[in-house]
Amino acid sequence: MNQQPICELAELAAAVPDGAVLVVAQDNCGVSMAATRELVRRGVRGLHLVCVPISGLQAEILIGAGAVATLETSAITLGEFGPAHRFIDALRKGRIRMLDATCPAIHAALQAGQKGLPFIPLRGLIESDLLASRPDWKVIDNPFSPGDPIAVLPAINPDIALFHAPLADRAGNVYIGRRRELLTMAHASKQTFVTVEAISEQNLFDDAKLAPGVVPAIYVSRIAVAKQGAWPVGLPEHYGADDAAISRYVHSAKTEEGFRRYLDEWLNVEEVTA
Amino acid sequence: MNQQPICELAELAAAVPDGAVLVVAQDNCGVSMAATRELVRRGVRGLHLVCVPISGLQAEILIGAGAVATLETSAITLGEFGPAHRFIDALRKGRIRMLDATCPAIHAALQAGQKGLPFIPLRGLIESDLLASRPDWKVIDNPFSPGDPIAVLPAINPDIALFHAPLADRAGNVYIGRRRELLTMAHASKQTFVTVEAISEQNLFDDAKLAPGVVPAIYVSRIAVAKQGAWPVGLPEHYGADDAAISRYVHSAKTEEGFRRYLDEWLNVEEVTA
Amino acid sequence: MNLDYSRAELLVAVIARLLEGCRHVTVGASSPIPGAAALLRRDLTQGAMRVTILGSNRYNAYTNGGVETFDMAAQGRIDAFFLGGGQIDGQGNINLVGTGRYPASDVRWPGSFGSAYLYYLVPKVILFREEHTRRVLVPKVDFISSPGVSAPGVYRPGGPYGLLTGLAWFSFDKQKQRFRLESVHPGHSVEEIRDQTGFEFDCPDEVPFTSAPEPAILTLIRGRIRNEIAETYPRFASTFAN
Amino acid sequence: MNLDYSRAELLVAVIARLLEGCRHVTVGASSPIPGAAALLRRDLTQGAMRVTILGSNRYNAYTNGGVETFDMAAQGRIDAFFLGGGQIDGQGNINLVGTGRYPASDVRWPGSFGSAYLYYLVPKVILFREEHTRRVLVPKVDFISSPGVSAPGVYRPGGPYGLLTGLAWFSFDKQKQRFRLESVHPGHSVEEIRDQTGFEFDCPDEVPFTSAPEPAILTLIRGRIRNEIAETYPRFASTFAN
């Protein structure tokens, strides 16, 4: 509920406190790698990172940089580019608390957060080791049908939702189109920070065709312009992933030292180019 | 999941069986009065009518025509036009089973239906006579916080969702814009029947700006063209309500006889004009 | 008593004062006076206070359908809301369903709408009913659409802030579970309030008159606000200052 | 044995047969062979069978975000889905998390994705893993991302339909909670299957060879299907028929 949501990228990143519960989206929804870089640069620590419902390079880099204390996700994958070395290494060394989930559980718990419900039931899960490894999940008897066990998940209410979008306006409305999980993230979170490709001088609600794909300003605390802000990840319908850059990352991150070298270089990039 | 969803209005109405659980939206979302008229004409009986989350003329007329056995709604209102006489009369005479609700309870139960959950918790409600009068609602202890009572509602999974929309395409996609409850209704229901102002020759998903406001064809069983199909109710952003017609209805419906006369006339209207 | 403002103008000004400190106020579809008051408060804060008017296109920036209002309330993003009632009793219980034996009510009203939820969750719920009679303000409502107070342990961050009628303004004391007469509108008296109120309420020895709208406020109401609400409540706007 | 089709082409043809009778099939983002098979089946039904490919723009008509896949599954609107696993055991349990002691796994895979839900709810889950070795097909998985079968009383309309590997096709018997070897791909033998499978399975006396793709099917795969999947799996499409 910020009247002047548009700010500098560094200011946006500075407003993410250490220890925050930060929720991010998967690669095809708009990933703010620009803000991620600023977070690493400012040395953020102790994040509880929630991925909706999975993550790739963004989580991998935050983990490698030592920013993450707890990771809640259904997967960390760089797809065909290879293993997420820093994620795997952190798990092996016990550096992060791992909350393995399944995609619909993260969606449902976030929807519970959106609705202000303390918990939400969900099918599936029963007798899996996922459920066994999650002391925060329970199984109850369906109150309407005794003898029907069902998992219940506590709501997820992140401190901050962070994503990258193509367009915002000066009032703070953000265009997300079909990427509706971004809306759910914004609703469930106390604050929403967004990087965008561009700022529209026209209010997005003034175009009846755009309005259905908008996150309303009331949910949006900060917006920073970051051209190619998803790079090296892509922004669907706008630009693709930079395969060469991601490949080079995966190759570098095989070792801690290689990762550090990559990071130094990445933090020093002046202008992002795809 | 119909490959040829476009049909005649009478065919659409004939496919609503007696006794169906039928879900409809409130006036500002798109109300298919055209299909309602066909339902009354074919003499549908025993409907369990669910209103999301309230209704007006549509429910009033269906009740007056004797089509409704059970009414589940948070309100029936004709706004400033006056009382919903046939609704009030049916209650007084015990002709309908009344399931009084509160708006968020209908939304939540429908969302539970959408998610295939057997039930969903909801805040509020406790110690109200609404809850006391709904044997199908229960109160349980929040499994994560003993001593915190919370209402739980069984999911609503209607047989048929029925609404009016501005546009559909030949594949069966329907444009609803910001009226997202229509999407929830479609997801939660076994079938969705829609009347539309017009059919687009272009697939709605081919326009990236329209796509976020679309109910995908996979949910849509039948579509019939009905110009001014919400009349005398309005279709926001397209046409307003016909105040004179609604006033005349309310005046006529003060008595059973007056209602019957109105109905006869309405059923015999050849072409709807606003 | 010959006042230089209408009752509607007084009520709008009173409600606008009650909304001080709010960040976001939501108003129901058929609530022109609270709607006008919210828009007035918004103007006074240079737009810093947000207003959502349900059923309006202009004052509704929601993109998740009708459920969004209720989800926002649960998220703590709605600071104030307005509820009425065919009956309101001295414990703040409201009845939007009907009189007599439910469900075959003697008088049936439209229904409970969102009351059985928003009354629990919105911190500042202003009960608003112009008609101030013993028919409306009853000792005990016939049907509790939503209770005014909840037992300890029931999750209830919200509830009644007070009751505004055409005659007076009462605050609500959640501890005592009672209304307190705070002011009587100019032209009326404490006796009249007692005569017309069916429930017991606390009453200080001295009850002030409700403050009249300042001239600047009246000017705003008669100018900009009247134009702004014309979109949402066209009939009301045309009869506003009578 | 010199076959006139590639292994990928055989697998696509086999899966397309397994999808007979489905109204809607959903395929994961990184599943090119199931994706190609689903598109082939769609072509064979003149588009009557719907295909959703997660992560594709062209084959994804969803408008409610990532949750829509899971909601659709719960609604009974997805007839078939594909799951793999770093480990799969003889009871149909799958492990997408890692080997050794969780969470400090010896080998860590990406994670469980939607398996712990879709495996319960989608009626025809086809387990698909090209690698057919004792490393993958183990006596007991180290971590159950999702169990193959559930106790009586657990809501489970879905579950494993069978297991397709680069060597063979097994059906799954939910009563016996075991796989049954149904066919061995041309060029392989029952002995080879036994050698490479870490779990026990039922094996009839005579195990047929998996039927080769008909020429018309091969033509379709090499023409239209190859073009259709190029959008979603460009790298795969280019190496498809090798």
Side-chain angles (χ1 to χ4, degrees):
Chain A
M1 303 207 191
N2 197 309
Q3 288 303 304
Q4 300 293 341
I6 297 173
C7 67
E8 292 299 313
L9 186 55
E11 203 183 319
L12 180 152
V16 177
D18 286 358
V21 179
L22 182 72
V23 62
V24 296
Q26 65 181 313
D27 287 358
N28 68 1
C29 285
V31 173
S32 182
M33 291 306 292
T36 303
R37 194 169 55 158
E38 286 304 311
L39 285 171
V40 171
R41 185 174 282 148
R42 96 145 188 68
V44 68
R45 286 289 175 275
L47 295 177
H48 177 143
L49 188 68
V50 179
C51 310
V52 181
I54 63 169
S55 184
L57 199 61
Q58 183 177 33
E60 159 79 357
I61 286 182
L62 285 170
I63 293 165
V68 177
T70 298
L71 178 65
E72 190 166 359
T73 190
S74 305
I76 298 294
T77 174
L78 303 173
E80 57 201 306
F81 295 104
H85 295 294
R86 294 302 96 211
F87 159 63
I88 294 167
D89 191 58
L91 274 182
R92 198 173 288 137
K93 293 181 176 147
R95 285 187 182 159
I96 54 174
R97 183 170 71 113
M98 185 68 202
L99 298 174
D100 262 292
T102 185
C103 305
I106 289 185
H107 287 299
L110 205 62
Q111 288 179 306
Q114 170 183 40
K115 295 190 72 60
L117 306 177
F119 68 93
I120 192 163
L122 193 73
R123 291 301 188 185
L125 284 173
I126 290 173
E127 295 161 335
S128 73
D129 283 336
L130 280 183
L131 181 65
S133 70
R134 291 290 300 255
D136 53 334
W137 291 351
K138 287 178 190 287
V139 175
I140 66 169
D141 224 27
N142 174 355
F144 295 96
S145 172
D148 174 22
I150 186 162
V152 285
L153 321 171
I156 299 176
N157 281 110
D159 295 313
I160 296 165
L162 174 66
F163 57 86
H164 185 70
L167 193 67
D169 64 26
R170 299 218 168 264
N173 301 300
V174 176
Y175 188 73
I176 58 166
R178 280 209 263 164
R179 319 290 168 195
R180 295 288 296 189
E181 43 271 83
L182 301 177
L183 187 76
T184 308
M185 284 164 51
H187 284 197
S189 300
K190 295 180 192 75
Q191 296 191 77
T192 292
F193 294 0
V194 188
T195 55
V196 294
E197 293 292 323
I199 301 284
S200 161
E201 294 302 327
Q202 195 195 23
N203 188 297
L204 298 180
F205 278 99
D206 290 346
D207 183 341
K209 277 174 92 180
L210 286 183
V214 165
V215 178
I218 196 167
Y219 302 98
V220 180
S221 300
R222 288 173 191 274
I223 298 172
V225 174
K227 294 232 180 253
Q228 303 283 118
W231 178 88
V233 178
L235 183 64
E237 297 167 60
H238 291 82
Y239 46 88
D242 182 345
D243 289 0
I246 300 175
S247 283
R248 203 165 58 76
Y249 169 82
V250 175
H251 186 77
S252 306
K254 277 181 187 156
T255 64
E256 177 89 35
E257 300 68 41
F259 173 78
R260 289 284 152 200
R261 273 197 306 276
Y262 183 95
L263 212 58
D264 285 347
E265 195 185 309
W266 187 56
L267 293 181
N268 289 320
V269 173
E270 276 298 313
E271 197 75 21
V272 175
T273 47
Chain B
M1 303 207 190
N2 198 310
Q3 289 302 304
Q4 301 294 339
I6 297 172
C7 67
E8 292 300 312
L9 185 54
E11 204 183 318
L12 180 153
V16 177
D18 286 356
V21 179
L22 182 72
V23 63
V24 296
Q26 65 179 314
D27 286 357
N28 68 1
C29 284
V31 173
S32 183
M33 291 305 293
T36 303
R37 194 168 56 157
E38 287 303 311
L39 285 171
V40 171
R41 186 174 282 150
R42 94 144 189 71
V44 68
R45 286 289 175 274
L47 295 177
H48 177 144
L49 188 67
V50 180
C51 310
V52 180
I54 62 169
S55 184
L57 198 60
Q58 184 176 33
E60 160 78 358
I61 287 182
L62 285 170
I63 293 165
V68 177
T70 297
L71 177 66
E72 191 166 359
T73 190
S74 305
I76 298 295
T77 175
L78 303 174
E80 57 201 306
F81 295 103
H85 296 292
R86 295 302 94 213
F87 160 62
I88 293 168
D89 191 58
L91 276 181
R92 198 172 289 137
K93 295 186 173 143
R95 284 187 184 159
I96 53 174
R97 183 170 72 113
M98 185 68 203
L99 297 174
D100 261 292
T102 185
C103 305
I106 290 185
H107 287 300
L110 205 63
Q111 288 178 307
Q114 172 183 39
K115 294 190 72 60
L117 306 177
F119 68 92
I120 192 161
L122 193 73
R123 289 303 189 184
L125 283 174
I126 290 174
E127 296 161 335
S128 72
D129 283 336
L130 280 184
L131 181 65
S133 70
R134 292 288 302 252
D136 51 333
W137 292 351
K138 288 176 191 283
V139 174
I140 66 168
D141 225 28
N142 174 355
F144 295 97
S145 172
D148 174 21
I150 186 164
V152 286
L153 321 171
I156 298 176
N157 281 109
D159 295 314
I160 296 165
L162 174 65
F163 57 85
H164 185 71
L167 194 66
D169 65 23
R170 300 216 168 267
N173 301 299
V174 177
Y175 188 72
I176 57 164
R178 282 210 262 162
R179 320 289 168 196
R180 296 288 296 190
E181 46 271 82
L182 301 178
L183 187 76
T184 308
M185 284 163 52
H187 284 196
S189 300
K190 294 180 193 77
Q191 296 192 77
T192 292
F193 293 1
V194 189
T195 55
V196 294
E197 293 291 324
I199 301 285
S200 161
E201 294 302 327
Q202 194 194 26
N203 189 297
L204 298 180
F205 278 99
D206 289 346
D207 182 341
K209 278 175 91 180
L210 286 185
V214 166
V215 178
I218 195 166
Y219 301 98
V220 180
S221 300
R222 287 173 193 275
I223 297 172
V225 175
K227 294 235 181 253
Q228 303 284 118
W231 179 86
V233 178
L235 183 64
E237 298 167 60
H238 292 83
Y239 47 87
D242 182 345
D243 289 1
I246 300 176
S247 284
R248 203 164 60 75
Y249 169 82
V250 175
H251 185 77
S252 306
K254 278 181 186 158
T255 64
E256 177 89 34
E257 299 68 42
F259 173 77
R260 287 287 151 197
R261 273 196 307 274
Y262 183 94
L263 210 61
D264 284 347
E265 196 185 309
W266 187 56
L267 293 180
N268 288 320
V269 173
E270 275 298 313
E271 196 76 19
V272 175
T273 48
Chain C
M1 202 164 160
N2 203 349
L3 303 169
D4 59 353
Y5 49 85
S6 71
R7 182 159 95 179
E9 288 168 343
L10 174 72
L11 295 172
V12 167
V14 170
I15 294 174
R17 281 198 293 267
L18 295 173
L19 296 178
E20 224 178 299
C22 290
R23 300 159 303 161
H24 177 215
V25 173
T26 298
V27 184
S30 46
S31 307
I33 288 178
L39 292 176
L40 172 58
R41 181 87 236 149
R42 176 170 166 275
D43 267 22
L44 295 173
T45 62
Q46 275 84 48
M49 190 191 86
R50 294 180 195 269
V51 176
T52 299
I53 299 179
L54 304 178
S56 154
N57 251 332
R58 185 161 165 206
Y59 297 105
N60 186 324
Y62 289 177
T63 57
N64 203 31
V67 76
E68 190 165 352
T69 299
F70 306 102
D71 290 353
M72 282 196 106
Q75 294 155 18
R77 285 188 164 103
I78 299 178
D79 298 319
F81 189 71
F82 301 87
L83 285 172
Q87 294 180 329
I88 299 170
D89 72 25
Q91 284 198 299
N93 298 312
I94 58 175
N95 175 4
L96 292 86
V97 161
T99 65
R101 186 191 291 268
Y102 179 83
S105 311
D106 299 330
V107 176
R108 168 75 203 202
W109 300 308
S112 302
F113 293 95
S115 65
Y117 185 81
L118 295 174
Y119 206 23
Y120 294 74
L121 295 180
V122 176
K124 190 182 265 189
V125 174
I126 296 168
L127 298 174
F128 176 65
R129 181 76 207 246
E130 274 199 81
E131 178 180 340
H132 188 142
T133 63
R134 288 180 174 259
R135 196 178 75 110
V136 172
L137 306 182
V138 297
K140 184 87 188 83
V141 297
D142 291 359
F143 185 97
I144 300 176
S145 283
S146 187
V149 294
S150 292
V154 173
Y155 180 80
R156 182 145 197 186
Y161 182 70
L163 166 65
L164 182 67
T165 72
L167 303 187
W169 161 246
F170 302 84
S171 66
F172 188 78
D173 185 323
K174 288 185 190 180
Q175 294 325 111
K176 294 165 98 175
Q177 311 195 354
R178 280 168 77 87
F179 288 104
R180 181 179 191 272
L181 184 61
E182 295 287 349
S183 71
V184 173
H185 301 342
H188 302 282
S189 69
V190 172
E191 282 69 54
E192 190 184 353
I193 306 300
R194 284 202 197 282
D195 280 353
Q196 299 295 330
T197 307
F199 56 73
E200 306 258 302
F201 55 88
D202 286 346
C203 186
D205 293 341
E206 293 279 314
V207 181
F209 280 114
T210 307
S211 306
E214 298 85 346
I217 295 292
L218 274 180
T219 306
L220 264 178
I221 292 175
R222 289 170 184 170
R224 213 187 306 172
I225 299 307
R226 189 172 175 160
N227 290 334
E228 283 181 355
I229 62 167
E231 181 240 14
T232 313
Y233 311 107
R235 278 175 206 79
F236 174 74
S238 67
T239 62
F240 194 27
N242 296 343
Chain D
M1 202 163 160
N2 202 351
L3 304 170
D4 58 355
Y5 50 85
S6 72
R7 182 159 94 179
E9 288 168 341
L10 175 71
L11 295 173
V12 167
V14 169
I15 294 174
R17 282 198 292 267
L18 294 173
L19 296 178
E20 223 178 300
C22 291
R23 298 159 306 162
H24 178 214
V25 172
T26 297
V27 184
S30 47
S31 307
I33 288 177
L39 292 176
L40 172 57
R41 181 85 236 151
R42 177 170 164 275
D43 268 21
L44 294 174
T45 63
Q46 274 86 47
M49 191 192 86
R50 294 180 194 269
V51 175
T52 299
I53 297 178
L54 304 178
S56 154
N57 251 333
R58 187 161 165 206
Y59 297 105
N60 186 324
Y62 288 178
T63 57
N64 203 32
V67 75
E68 190 165 352
T69 299
F70 306 103
D71 290 353
M72 282 196 105
Q75 293 155 19
R77 285 189 165 102
I78 299 177
D79 298 318
F81 189 71
F82 301 87
L83 286 172
Q87 293 180 329
I88 299 170
D89 72 23
Q91 284 199 295
N93 299 311
I94 57 175
N95 175 4
L96 291 87
V97 161
T99 65
R101 187 190 291 267
Y102 179 83
S105 312
D106 300 329
V107 175
R108 168 76 203 202
W109 300 307
S112 302
F113 294 93
S115 65
Y117 184 81
L118 295 173
Y119 206 21
Y120 294 73
L121 295 181
V122 176
K124 190 182 265 189
V125 175
I126 295 168
L127 299 173
F128 175 65
R129 180 76 207 246
E130 273 199 82
E131 180 180 339
H132 187 141
T133 63
R134 288 180 173 258
R135 197 178 75 110
V136 172
L137 306 182
V138 298
K140 183 89 188 83
V141 296
D142 290 0
F143 184 98
I144 300 176
S145 284
S146 188
V149 292
S150 293
V154 173
Y155 181 80
R156 183 148 198 186
Y161 182 70
L163 165 64
L164 182 67
T165 72
L167 303 187
W169 160 246
F170 301 84
S171 64
F172 188 78
D173 186 322
K174 289 184 189 179
Q175 295 323 110
K176 294 165 97 174
Q177 310 194 354
R178 280 169 77 89
F179 288 103
R180 179 177 191 271
L181 184 60
E182 294 288 348
S183 71
V184 174
H185 300 342
H188 303 282
S189 69
V190 173
E191 282 69 54
E192 189 182 355
I193 305 301
R194 286 201 195 282
D195 281 353
Q196 300 294 330
T197 306
F199 56 74
E200 307 259 300
F201 55 88
D202 286 345
C203 187
D205 293 341
E206 293 279 315
V207 180
F209 280 116
T210 306
S211 306
E214 296 85 346
I217 295 292
L218 275 179
T219 306
L220 264 179
I221 292 175
R222 288 170 184 172
R224 214 187 306 173
I225 300 306
R226 189 171 175 160
N227 291 334
E228 284 179 356
I229 63 167
E231 182 241 14
T232 313
Y233 312 106
R235 278 176 207 77
F236 174 75
S238 67
T239 62
F240 193 30
N242 296 343

